[in-house]
């Protein structure tokens, strides 16, 4: 370091920081830091230890904020935290390496070490990683039986990474906001590998090869059932109320797969569909099913119900209520659910007969759910003041409701909850086969009109779930799955179909003849100046486009007729392909597990934050975290980083970097106490290393 009195302005970039008067210049070959002119320090860019020390000193002296230091010195703010931790524990000697690793950890490694032995060697000196707090998932993974479930798809491997290392790698991809397997190559080996218990983590090619071998050797369906059954045994899935919905996954490859309607794009796209059953009480996935686009939700509901009951049987439970939207509306669906001895709930369709039926209900049947209710005989009674206060804030957009029987064609009289929608100024209904005074066994689930409104209102949970998961579901949707041809995307017409097509051509010819007459008529009017030029151009353009569409349709039909008569396949008929979805299913189980575990972690951490906030609030401390959201809590946990260190007994200590907020710091300390009570172990090869979590 050199003190100088004047500064030659040779910097390429200059930035001033607020009112503290500090100025940092990036000069040729050096960094110049001016505190109060003419007090200046010049640092050689090659002197990493001096540069690292200066970043630590600027932070500890509170002269600059962490984000300001990180921005000017071109490092991540977590790197500043790492350097501060190293300086506090080892002094200035710990800052010799610009990546924040200790000098002891940078000593040359012994020769011929395996990746696991190299990890053990480095862990004894401490490893800093922005992903270190991902290890808080391990206790929860043990709780829900994740490691027992993956035994179903493990196989004997020689060399390379172990099964647990492979599944840890694949599991943690979505935790850190990555959607696809190829993102593995973006993670830094030195940091991400701590989650694997290795000095390196598998790359994309290795993960793909492993999955390819797994789907050829193991029963993936058994893995799906076992993983979800373990979650039920752990008590994280209730399943008595289940919501069902579907998500369309668009396929962008060149192969021809079946088309499905895409809700957002509002057109037909090449795609596959995933159908989900979500627990309506704990808001966690129960099971799913991938199908080709020709399988709609009504066709898979019976199978999903049976599979859900099989999974729930692990906890001596079964689904009692099945809730779905208008996409599965239909008498066959209602009958299938009732035959399975379940209660169904579904919105009515916006069709004239239903609207007429709902519109004809007399006013005497309606009541205000905020202040009134119905007794067991269907008579309106007024609520007490205490009950009214409990309902405060509910049913905001509802005017009145009625609990009546209406006629449904193909079913007969059916219980209908009719709602007067204040926003859309109309009546809508909910069909259900639930009796008014019924209660679910072992759980007080209200099946009155108000209770049904609450249940079906929470159906938005599965919409939000699929919205949150859409990147995950589409990211690896077709990750190298084997594609095979299963036929053509159209059937060769038989004699009866040919006659229908020939009749259709006759109708098209008549339509073209009528269009020709109209065109000549308008041309005559235009020539006689009885029709304006702009109107003429617009009408003629529309007629010509209509004629062109009809001619193309006729040409296509003629080729189809020729196909039926001669066997010559038309150009527009292509081979239909099917994609093997087993790899998709493995990844989806891992992502469902990550979703469930992350929600458990966030719930526990949020509880700790709110408890500490209330305690500190009584002492006049900041209460901004009193209503912390799960999204904020998740961001805090996974963006902060930390370090791990192994003691002589093989216990791995996971320490978080110091949080900016004292409340978060105290809350995390309390959260660590909960984690340590779970006595989790990190599985590395044939050994299990006990994990201990601490706050810094």
């Amino acid at each position: 370091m050199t003190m100088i009195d004047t500064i030659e302005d040779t910097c390429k970039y200059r930035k001033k920081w607020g009112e503290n008067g500090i100025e940092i210049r990036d000069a040729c070959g050096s960094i110049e830091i001016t505190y109060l002119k003419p007090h200046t320090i010049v640092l050689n860019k090659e002197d990493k230890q001096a540069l690292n020390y200066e970043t630590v000193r600027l932070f500890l002296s509170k002269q600059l904020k962490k984000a300001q230091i990180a921005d000017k010195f071109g490092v991540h703010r977590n790197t500043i935290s790492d350097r501060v931790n190293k300086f506090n524990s080892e002094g200035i000697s710990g800052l010799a390496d610009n990546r924040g690793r200790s000098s002891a950890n940078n000593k040359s490694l012994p020769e011929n070490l395996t990746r696991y032995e190299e990890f053990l060697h480095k862990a004894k000196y401490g490893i800093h990683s922005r992903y270190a707090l991902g290890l808080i998932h391990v206790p929860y993974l043990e709780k829900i039986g994740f490691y027992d479930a993956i035994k179903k798809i493990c196989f004997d491997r020689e060399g390379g990474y172990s099964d647990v290392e492979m599944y840890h790698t694949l599991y943690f991809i979505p935790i850190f906001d990555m959607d696809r397997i190829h993102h593995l190559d973006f993670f830094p080996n030195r940091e991400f590998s701590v989650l694997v218990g290795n000095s390196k983590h598998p790359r994309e090619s290795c993960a793909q090869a492993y999955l390819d071998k797994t789907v050829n050797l193991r029963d993936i369906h058994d893995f799906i059932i076992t993983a979800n059954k373990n979650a039920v045994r752990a008590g994280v899935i209730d399943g008595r109320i289940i919501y069902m919905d579907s998500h369309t996954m668009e396929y962008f490859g060149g192969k021809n797969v079946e088309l499905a309607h895409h809700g957002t794009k509002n057109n037909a796209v090449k795609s596959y569909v995933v159908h989900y059953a979500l627990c309506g009480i704990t808001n966690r996935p129960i099971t799913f099913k991938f199908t080709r686009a020709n399988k709609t939700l009504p066709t898979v509901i019976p199978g999903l119900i049976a599979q859900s009951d099989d999974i729930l049987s692990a906890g001596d439970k079964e689904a009692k209520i099945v809730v779905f939207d208008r996409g599965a509306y239909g008498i066959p669906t209602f009958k299938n659910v009732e035959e399975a001895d379940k209660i169904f709930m579904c919105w009515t369709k916006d069709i004239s007969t239903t609207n007429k039926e709902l519109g004809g209900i007399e006013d005497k049947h309606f009541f205000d759910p905020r202040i009134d209710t119905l007794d067991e005989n269907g008579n309106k009674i007024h609520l007490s003041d205490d009950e009214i206060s409990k309902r405060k804030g509910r049913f905001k957009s509802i005017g009145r409701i009625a609990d009546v029987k209406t006629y449904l064609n193909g079913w007969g009289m059916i219980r209908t909850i009719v709602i007067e929608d204040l926003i859309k100024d109309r009546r809508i209904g909910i069909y259900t086969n639930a009796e008014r005074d019924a209660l679910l066994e072992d759980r007080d689930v209200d099946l009155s009109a108000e209770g049904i409104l609450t249940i079906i209102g929470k159906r938005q949970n599965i919409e939000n779930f699929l919205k949150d998961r859409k990147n995950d579901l589409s990211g690896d949707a077709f990750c190298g799955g084997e594609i095979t041809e299963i036929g053509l995307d159209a059937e060769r017409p038989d004699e009866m179909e040919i006659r229908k097509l020939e009749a259709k051509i006759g109708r098209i010819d008549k339509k073209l003849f009528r269009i020709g007459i109209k065109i000549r008529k308008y041309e005559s009017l235009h020539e006689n100046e009885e029709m304006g030029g702009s109107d003429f151009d617009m009408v003629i353009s529309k007629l010509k486009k209509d004629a062109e569409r009809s001619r193309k349709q006729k040409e296509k039909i003629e080729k189809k007729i020729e196909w039926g008569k001669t066997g010559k396949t038309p150009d527009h008929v292509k081979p239909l392909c099917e994609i093997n979805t087993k790899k998709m299913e493995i990844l989806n189980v891992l992502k469902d597990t990550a979703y469930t575990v992350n929600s458990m972690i966030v719930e526990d951490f949020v509880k700790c934050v709110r408890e500490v906030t209330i305690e500190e609030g009584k002492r006049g401390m900041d209460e901004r975290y009193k209503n912390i959201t799960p999204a904020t809590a998740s961001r805090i946990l996974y963006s902060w980083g930390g370090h791990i260190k192994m003691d002589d007994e093989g216990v791995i200590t996971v320490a978080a970097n110091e949080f900016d907020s004292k409340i978060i710091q105290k809350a995390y300390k309390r959260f660590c106490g909960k984690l340590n009570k779970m006595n989790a172990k990190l599985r590395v090869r044939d050994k299990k290393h006990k994990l201990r979590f601490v706050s810094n």
Side-chain angles (χ1 to χ4, degrees):
M1 301 182 184
T2 305
M3 306 295 296
I4 61 174
D5 294 331
T6 59
I7 303 172
E8 184 179 355
D9 191 7
T10 58
C11 62
K12 299 178 182 177
Y13 175 76
R14 173 175 176 166
K15 189 166 187 177
K16 293 185 177 180
W17 300 103
E19 299 177 355
N20 54 23
I22 294 178
E23 188 173 272
I24 301 177
R25 298 168 181 254
D26 184 357
C28 299
S30 65
I31 298 290
E32 298 176 350
I33 307 173
T34 300
Y35 293 95
L36 292 172
K37 292 182 180 180
H39 182 76
T40 302
I41 294 177
V42 179
L43 303 175
N44 189 325
K45 286 185 177 180
E46 300 301 321
D47 190 349
K48 301 300 183 183
Q49 189 174 28
L51 283 172
N52 294 347
Y53 172 73
E54 196 59 31
T55 60
V56 170
R57 197 181 69 78
L58 286 168
F59 176 73
L60 293 178
S61 63
K62 298 184 179 180
Q63 291 175 297
L64 292 179
K65 294 181 180 179
K66 188 187 296 183
Q68 295 172 327
I69 301 170
D71 181 60
K72 184 54 194 171
F73 281 86
V75 295
H76 193 275
R77 66 178 187 176
N78 286 348
T79 303
I80 305 297
S81 299
D82 291 344
R83 291 175 183 174
V84 171
N85 292 331
K86 297 302 289 181
F87 178 74
N88 290 336
S89 61
E90 301 179 29
I92 196 169
S93 61
L95 302 175
D97 180 57
N98 68 317
R99 290 170 292 181
R101 292 184 292 175
S102 68
S103 55
N105 201 28
N106 282 327
K107 290 180 179 179
S108 59
L109 295 170
E111 296 182 359
N112 301 322
L113 289 182
T114 63
R115 286 192 296 261
Y116 170 54
E117 291 169 340
E118 184 180 341
F119 166 74
L120 295 180
H121 177 84
K122 292 181 177 180
K124 288 180 180 179
Y125 296 105
I127 303 174
H128 290 259
S129 170
R130 74 196 75 174
Y131 309 110
L133 295 195
L135 291 173
I136 63 179
H137 280 246
V138 175
Y140 291 89
L141 288 172
E142 289 183 346
K143 180 178 179 179
I144 67 170
F146 172 76
Y147 298 106
D148 291 332
I150 62 175
K151 290 178 182 178
K152 292 287 184 180
I153 49 175
C154 292
F155 54 90
D156 295 330
R157 306 182 71 242
E158 296 180 1
Y161 297 94
S162 69
D163 294 294
V164 172
E165 290 170 348
M166 292 299 304
Y167 286 113
H168 259 206
T169 301
L170 295 169
Y171 171 86
F172 281 108
I173 295 174
I175 297 300
F176 293 99
D177 298 326
M178 298 293 188
D179 302 326
R180 307 188 179 192
I181 292 182
H182 77 258
H183 287 146
L184 280 174
D185 294 345
F186 300 163
F187 287 111
N189 249 326
R190 183 181 66 84
E191 297 186 68
F192 190 76
S193 61
V194 301
L195 302 173
V196 183
N198 212 314
S199 61
K200 296 181 180 180
H201 70 267
R203 315 307 279 181
E204 181 198 3
S205 58
C206 179
Q208 292 281 17
Y210 180 81
L211 289 173
D212 286 334
K213 192 169 184 179
T214 300
V215 299
N216 290 327
L217 296 176
R218 293 291 178 262
D219 183 356
I220 308 305
H221 179 73
D222 191 23
F223 169 58
I224 296 172
I225 300 298
T226 302
N228 290 310
K229 279 187 174 182
N230 288 348
V232 172
R233 293 188 187 100
V236 299
I237 294 175
D238 185 284
R240 297 177 189 275
I241 301 174
I242 59 176
Y243 298 116
M244 292 190 175
D245 207 348
S246 301
H247 174 74
T248 302
M249 302 177 298
E250 187 171 0
Y251 171 69
F252 297 97
K255 299 294 184 179
N256 185 36
V257 300
E258 289 169 330
L259 302 178
H261 183 265
H262 194 290
T264 305
K265 296 186 175 181
N266 197 28
N267 62 0
V269 297
K270 294 191 295 184
S271 59
Y272 261 58
V273 180
V274 60
H275 310 278
Y276 256 100
L278 189 79
C279 176
I281 296 175
T282 61
N283 194 28
R284 286 164 186 154
I286 300 174
T287 189
F288 64 89
K289 185 176 181 62
F290 284 104
T291 66
R292 287 158 45 192
N294 65 337
K295 295 286 186 181
T296 57
L297 183 58
T299 63
V300 301
I301 278 181
L304 276 180
I305 291 175
Q307 191 165 311
S308 297
D309 279 344
D310 181 26
I311 290 168
L312 294 170
S313 66
D316 295 326
K317 303 174 183 177
E318 65 173 324
K320 296 290 187 180
I321 298 176
V322 181
V323 184
F324 41 85
D325 68 358
R326 296 181 182 91
Y329 174 97
I331 303 303
T333 306
F334 296 166
K335 289 182 177 179
N336 286 334
V337 177
E338 188 169 66
E339 287 172 3
D341 196 24
K342 313 293 181 191
I343 294 171
F344 65 79
M345 296 180 187
C346 178
W347 290 105
T348 59
K349 274 204 169 182
D350 187 13
I351 53 180
S352 58
T353 53
T354 302
N355 293 338
K356 185 178 180 180
E357 189 78 17
L358 298 181
I361 298 172
E362 298 178 1
D363 285 348
K364 67 180 182 180
H365 295 293
F366 285 88
F367 64 95
D368 187 341
R370 288 172 286 271
I371 58 175
D372 298 321
T373 188
L374 299 179
D375 62 16
E376 58 184 12
N377 297 318
N379 299 317
K380 183 168 67 174
I381 56 176
H382 192 70
L383 295 171
S384 65
D385 291 341
D386 289 341
E387 290 172 325
I388 290 174
S389 64
K390 289 179 182 178
R391 294 193 178 190
K392 187 177 180 180
R394 296 174 60 189
F395 315 116
K396 290 181 179 179
S397 63
I398 295 174
R400 301 180 303 169
I401 64 174
D403 188 351
V404 296
K405 294 274 189 178
T406 61
Y407 180 77
L408 176 61
N409 189 27
W411 180 274
M413 300 304 292
I414 186 171
R415 185 183 177 192
T416 309
I417 312 301
V418 186
I419 305 164
E420 286 189 341
D421 190 336
L422 293 177
I423 297 175
K424 297 183 179 179
D425 190 25
R426 62 170 185 167
R427 288 181 178 180
I428 54 177
I430 301 168
Y431 285 143
T432 180
N433 61 339
E435 296 298 329
R436 180 179 295 154
D437 57 351
L439 290 175
L440 292 189
E441 297 175 6
D442 304 325
R443 184 171 289 276
D444 187 16
V445 177
D446 183 11
L447 292 178
S448 66
E450 303 95 307
I452 289 173
L453 282 177
T454 301
I455 292 171
I456 204 164
K458 290 182 179 179
R459 205 201 72 82
Q460 183 63 32
N461 289 344
I462 193 169
E463 299 282 358
N464 295 336
F465 169 76
L466 291 174
K467 183 179 178 180
D468 291 342
R469 290 289 316 281
K470 68 179 181 181
N471 289 332
D472 289 343
L473 290 168
S474 60
D476 277 315
F478 309 101
C479 54
E482 184 181 0
I483 300 177
T484 55
E485 292 186 5
I486 57 173
L488 299 174
D489 61 2
E491 292 185 8
R492 180 179 174 182
D494 55 17
E495 291 183 5
M496 183 177 293
E497 182 67 18
I498 289 173
R499 286 196 292 272
K500 290 180 180 179
L501 293 173
E502 288 174 341
K504 194 171 185 179
I505 285 182
R507 291 194 293 273
I508 293 174
D509 286 336
K510 290 180 181 179
K511 181 180 179 180
L512 290 171
F513 178 74
R514 290 194 297 271
I515 290 173
I517 292 176
K518 287 182 180 179
I519 290 175
R520 289 192 291 273
K521 174 186 173 182
Y522 288 122
E523 286 176 345
S524 176
L525 291 173
H526 182 59
E527 289 174 359
N528 297 329
E529 297 182 353
E530 296 179 20
M531 188 175 190
S534 59
D535 290 340
F536 172 76
D537 292 340
M538 182 179 67
V539 171
I540 293 298
S541 175
K542 185 177 179 180
L543 289 172
K544 287 184 177 180
K545 286 180 180 179
D546 194 10
E548 182 63 24
R549 282 195 298 269
S550 297
R551 279 191 287 268
K552 287 182 178 179
Q553 185 182 12
K554 179 181 176 181
E555 183 180 349
K556 194 173 181 179
I557 293 173
E558 287 174 342
K559 289 182 179 179
K560 200 169 183 179
I561 292 173
E562 184 183 4
W563 180 25
K565 291 181 177 179
T566 65
K568 183 181 178 181
T569 306
D571 295 337
H572 68 271
V573 177
K574 299 178 181 178
L576 185 64
C577 297
E578 183 179 46
I579 302 174
N580 187 326
T581 61
K582 289 184 178 180
K583 287 171 71 175
M584 297 158 57
E585 291 169 3
I586 293 175
L587 292 172
N588 209 53
V589 171
L590 297 179
K591 290 172 179 179
D592 279 354
T593 304
Y595 180 91
T596 297
V597 169
N598 193 55
S599 66
M600 294 166 67
I601 290 171
V602 169
E603 284 175 10
D604 289 343
F605 183 61
V606 165
K607 184 179 179 181
C608 293
V609 173
R610 288 174 178 168
E611 288 174 356
V612 172
T613 303
I614 293 171
E615 293 169 6
E616 296 298 326
K618 294 177 181 178
R619 303 186 185 99
M621 297 288 287
D622 185 5
E623 293 192 22
R624 59 179 167 164
Y625 291 111
K626 187 175 182 179
N627 297 314
I628 185 173
T629 63
T632 301
S634 182
R635 177 182 56 79
I636 290 172
L637 282 174
Y638 301 126
S639 65
W640 220 254
H643 62 276
I644 70 167
K645 193 170 185 179
M646 182 186 294
D647 62 19
D648 294 336
E649 296 179 355
V651 177
I652 296 176
T653 299
V654 182
N657 290 331
E658 185 175 359
F659 294 96
D660 286 343
S661 167
K662 290 182 179 179
I663 289 178
I664 297 297
Q665 189 71 22
K666 288 185 178 182
Y668 185 74
K669 185 177 181 180
R670 185 171 298 188
F671 181 54
C672 287
K674 178 178 177 63
L675 293 172
N676 291 329
K677 289 179 181 178
M678 299 170 77
N679 295 316
K681 294 179 176 63
L682 179 64
R683 290 157 172 78
V684 184
R685 299 300 162 117
D686 56 346
K687 296 183 180 180
K688 296 181 180 179
H689 295 274
K690 184 178 179 180
L691 290 173
R692 188 170 70 93
F693 299 89
V694 298
S695 60
N696 210 319

